[in-house]
Amino acid sequence: MNILVINAGSSSLKYQLLDPDTGKLLAKGLCERIGIDGKFTYKPQISGKTGKDAADVSMPTHAEAIQAVLDALVDRENGVIGSMKEIGAVGHRVVHGGEAFNKSVLITDEVLKAIEDCIPLAPLHNPANLTGIRACQSVCPGVPNVAVFDTAFHQTMPPKAYMYALPYEYYEKDKVRRYGFHGTSHKYVAGRAAAMLGKKIEDVKLISCHLGNGSSVTAVDGGKSVDTSMGFTPLAGVPMGTRSGDLDAGILQYLMNKYGLNIDEMLNILNKKSGVQGVSGVSSDFRDLTEAFQKGNARAGLAVDLFNYGVRKLIGAYAAAMGGVDAIIFTAGVGENSAAQRMDIASGLEFMGVKMDPEANKARGKEAVISAADSPVKVLLIPTNEELMIAMDTAAIVKG
Ligand code: ADP
């Protein structure tokens, strides 16, 4: 069964068609500038088929964008399937499921309502995700739609991990708590890690480091998320590309008073002008920072240090939280590509049984054990694949 995976933003939509049983990707692409001047990109993954790169296609709404995707997929010449019948279901990435969803679900009217109810928790993302779902319902009636939430995997966290030490009514009345994000990625790599270790997921303690532009670290005990570094919003945790990560809330009052900032301006600084970009003054991209540091820019080096140190501290914290760890996972842009940062993060952890293999750590973008053969704690490089995880969940739900 092929699954169409949709990740809808407010004016863009990413898609992949894949077979979750074999993991085979048939086609992928992107609709951009929806509601503006529509640009359509189609990348068939079957040899001999020709794609499209930012072609002009009229897309006044997401419905025309989905129609363009379907037309391309079944196109006689360059399509990858014979007809719509070969699409078993559509899996949608949905950012926030609040406390309503602890797993992926078949979309019904009640589910749509519950996703709507989560809009205040993700005001930028959930409305766009809903638009994508409604577009699919109108363009391909009869094809089941499944929602896969970034937050669902973390719903297993115990209250001591998800509660903030605030007056309790803010949790009860206003749902202020840690939700965590990147759940689809953490779930996928945790499953792969258990397979690589040759163990049942129920029997392993893992620390998953999703290190990209946005980063989060998650403690996975027996296949369940028990703690994670992002919080009520994706602003929390380690310093990121442009996000500050955790900080003393007292700083907000101090800076807002001193510079006459309102809360929106302050949050804009914390979300878009902080992190390694803010510290270095150079870039939010770790490749640029490494290059700048090598040319003598000390602040670029400090930014990378701050990030690596933040991740290392969390690994220590989560090992303590779980009472041990069997394997540490590195994934996403930085985790999959930067051997130097993996080495720097893990090098401080010899005391807890982490011994890297510098040669194995040269691996890039493919699954690899990068710890030494005699390392009590294994270190694993696992490329994430959120689309495959969404397709796997979607297929499992429609197959019942
Ligand atoms: P996103 O959170 O946007 O999905 P990614 O997981 O794609 O981000 O990660 C993007 C980041 O990965 C870039 O900002 C860049 O800093 C980092 N990255 C990619 N390749 C390398 C590399 N070879 N070395 C260091 N960092 C890298």
Side-chain angles (χ1 to χ4, degrees):
M1 177 194 287
N2 297 317
I3 304 291
L4 178 61
V5 174
I6 299 285
N7 183 352
S10 57
S11 69
S12 70
L13 182 154
K14 290 187 207 145
Y15 65 92
Q16 286 196 4
L17 183 71
L18 33 82
D19 178 348
D21 293 331
T22 59
K24 189 174 160 53
L25 177 65
L26 295 158
K28 64 177 176 178
L30 177 65
C31 304
E32 290 169 288
R33 299 178 64 84
I34 300 169
I36 312 169
D37 57 352
K39 300 283 176 202
F40 181 68
T41 297
Y42 169 63
K43 295 182 180 167
Q45 304 292 303
I46 295 174
S47 65
K49 305 278 180 181
T50 309
K52 287 190 170 123
D53 189 15
D56 290 314
V57 172
S58 169
M59 305 178 209
T61 72
H62 285 64
E64 290 83 10
I66 299 278
Q67 190 62 57
V69 172
L70 297 175
D71 290 347
L73 293 174
V74 303
D75 183 72
R76 277 226 187 131
E77 222 173 303
N78 293 308
V80 292
I81 51 174
S83 80
M84 279 281 296
K85 289 199 187 96
E86 292 175 47
I87 300 176
V90 185
H92 296 266
R93 177 191 181 212
V94 180
V95 166
H96 220 304
E99 290 191 322
F101 299 102
N102 58 11
K103 54 179 186 293
S104 305
V105 286
L106 187 69
I107 295 173
T108 61
D109 288 347
E110 292 85 73
V111 167
L112 281 176
K113 169 78 177 61
I115 296 173
E116 262 172 25
D117 291 343
C118 293
I119 288 176
L121 298 173
L124 298 179
H125 292 100
N126 273 30
N129 302 153
L130 280 164
T131 305
I133 295 169
R134 294 206 171 97
C136 282
Q137 287 178 324
S138 76
V139 175
C140 19
V143 179
N145 289 281
V146 168
V148 179
F149 302 91
D150 278 15
T151 51
F153 181 59
H154 300 299
Q155 280 295 305
T156 46
M157 282 189 288
K160 67 183 174 193
Y162 71 66
M163 285 299 295
Y164 289 114
L166 290 170
Y168 196 76
E169 59 264 29
Y170 293 134
Y171 168 63
E172 273 187 314
K173 264 188 24 224
D174 306 307
K175 305 256 186 258
V176 173
R177 52 160 286 177
R178 182 187 303 280
Y179 290 100
F181 298 86
H182 292 142
T184 309
S185 174
H186 289 299
K187 181 179 170 186
Y188 175 77
V189 296
R192 291 301 312 147
M196 286 172 77
L197 297 170
K199 295 199 169 145
K200 283 201 226 139
I201 188 111
E202 291 79 15
D203 298 334
V204 286
K205 294 180 194 293
L206 305 166
I207 298 174
S208 167
C209 306
H210 178 114
L211 312 178
N213 208 359
S215 296
S216 69
V217 182
T218 296
V220 184
D221 195 347
K224 294 189 166 126
S225 169
V226 292
D227 208 343
T228 192
S229 61
M230 282 182 168
F232 180 65
T233 73
L235 180 55
V238 290
M240 304 178 216
T242 62
R243 284 174 245 165
S244 63
D246 290 341
L247 85 175
D248 177 350
I251 295 169
L252 274 67
Q253 184 197 33
Y254 177 77
L255 290 178
M256 287 167 73
N257 285 343
K258 184 153 189 197
Y259 294 108
L261 302 169
N262 64 35
I263 191 67
D264 290 338
E265 290 165 333
M266 189 70 242
L267 263 289
N268 190 48
I269 291 170
L270 297 183
N271 272 305
K272 305 218 170 116
K273 298 186 176 163
S274 299
V276 294
Q277 163 79 62
V279 173
S280 68
V282 171
S283 171
S284 62
D285 191 302
F286 285 91
R287 288 163 290 198
D288 299 342
L289 296 176
T290 305
E291 202 185 310
F293 177 62
Q294 281 161 356
K295 287 184 182 153
N297 186 318
R299 266 171 59 189
L302 172 63
V304 178
D305 276 352
L306 208 80
F307 174 84
N308 293 353
Y309 177 64
V311 175
R312 193 190 307 145
K313 273 203 295 192
L314 274 173
I315 293 172
Y318 289 166
M322 292 191 288
V325 55
D326 297 300
I328 297 164
I329 305 162
F330 285 105
T331 193
V334 178
E336 291 169 27
N337 293 299
S338 177
Q341 286 187 253
R342 289 193 299 257
M343 192 54 111
D344 188 37
I345 292 165
S347 292
L349 300 171
E350 290 86 356
F351 77 95
M352 54 180 260
V354 178
K355 196 168 149 196
M356 291 288 277
D357 176 341
E359 205 45 46
N361 186 43
K362 287 182 183 158
R364 246 183 103 164
K366 61 173 199 281
E367 288 186 1
V369 179
I370 57 174
S371 47
D374 61 347
S375 179
V377 176
K378 302 293 168 214
V379 185
L380 309 173
L381 190 181
I382 306 180
T384 194
N385 193 338
E386 287 161 283
E387 291 79 12
L388 179 56
M389 189 74 249
I390 292 173
M392 285 159 62
D393 268 10
T394 301
I397 285 171
V398 295
K399 283 177 188 165

